[in-house]
Amino acid sequence: MKRFYLVAFLAIISMTLNAQIHFGPKIGYSASKLSIDQSAISTELKSSFTFGAFVRVGGKFYVQPEVNWQTVGGLYKSPSLQNLVPLKSEVNLKSIEIPVLFGWRLVNLGIGNIRLMAGPSATIVTDKKIDNKFSNYTTPIKDSNINDVLWGAQVGVGVDVLMFTLDVRYSIGLSNVIKDIKVGSTPITFDSKANVFTVGLGWKIL
């Protein structure tokens, strides 16, 4: 994945020599959910706002790297976990998301256009907050159980009208958020990938 980002960076540099460039700030809304492969545990969505900046290089085909600040997470609940007492853990992760999207302007509307996009993303976790509600056994999820870097892939559609750009994306988690943990003396393996739905509005300064 690191090699891919290097190739993408070199591609952006080469495209800037003879291509149009747009950049600007963006804000958005995201709803994230941490998946789970434990039948005894259910999860709920976590909503938050995002903000960041983007650069778009190219014409009909373009590359768009971004830097976004966001909060991802979810709520784990279990009425019982392998004969243990009920579990409730709320995970909130403040993070910096760095996607590199490859897009195609599908339809030209004169004053705007419709786009398709897809690409990888790296999420760097900068702050971890875990609220555990439990009794009679040790903390099920701790800060040390959270991975610091998360990898994912994004797909989406966008619309440009004048200087405004609107994107609707879905991010598919490719790496686990939570490492293997122990509840009491019982080892638990989580398949905990972060899946995020995002709606973002950007303003093309240039």
Side-chain angles (χ1 to χ4, degrees), residues 149-163:
V149 179
L150 311 174
W151 298 99
Q154 295 188 6
V155 294
V157 61
V159 177
D160 295 332
V161 178
L162 299 176
M163 74 286 295

Side-chain angles (χ1 to χ4, degrees), residues 24-203:
K26 58 176 297 187
I27 59 172
Y29 163 83
S30 67
S32 61
K33 187 174 183 178
L34 301 182
S35 65
I36 191 68
D37 61 352
Q38 299 289 330
S39 60
I41 303 176
S42 62
T43 62
E44 295 182 1
L45 288 171
K46 176 69 176 180
S47 300
S48 68
F49 290 97
T50 68
F51 65 94
F54 70 94
V55 177
R56 186 181 302 166
V57 181
K60 184 174 182 179
F61 298 96
Y62 64 89
V63 179
Q64 181 170 314
E66 298 181 358
V67 177
N68 300 312
W69 286 263
Q70 63 178 9
T71 299
V72 298
L75 179 65
Y76 289 101
K77 296 192 302 182
S78 174
S80 63
L81 181 60
Q82 298 182 5
N83 298 321
L84 296 174
V85 296
L87 162 72
K88 184 178 180 181
S89 293
E90 184 174 0
V91 179
N92 293 286
L93 307 176
K94 293 182 180 179
S95 59
I96 299 174
E97 178 199 50
I98 307 173
V100 177
L101 301 168
F102 295 87
W104 173 34
R105 289 186 173 91
L106 184 63
V107 178
N108 191 339
L109 303 175
I111 61 172
N113 57 72
I114 299 175
R115 300 172 284 106
L116 299 177
M117 70 200 79
S121 65
T123 299
I124 303 170
V125 179
T126 58
D127 185 64
K128 308 170 184 179
K129 182 179 179 181
I130 303 166
D131 183 14
N132 291 304
K133 297 177 174 62
F134 56 91
S135 61
N136 299 333
Y137 61 88
T138 57
T139 304
I141 301 175
K142 299 179 291 185
D143 291 359
S144 59
N145 298 131
I146 304 297
N147 286 310
D148 295 323
V149 179
L150 311 174
W151 298 99
Q154 295 188 6
V155 294
V157 61
V159 177
D160 295 332
V161 178
L162 299 176
M163 74 286 295
F164 298 105
T165 176
L166 178 68
D167 288 354
V168 178
R169 302 181 198 164
Y170 186 70
S171 179
I172 304 167
L174 300 179
S175 59
N176 284 335
V177 176
I178 302 174
K179 307 172 187 177
D180 293 353
I181 66 171
K182 284 188 176 181
V183 179
S185 60
T186 305
I188 301 294
T189 299
F190 282 92
D191 180 15
S192 55
K193 296 178 175 62
N195 300 313
V196 185
F197 173 79
T198 306
V199 179
L201 178 63
W203 176 34

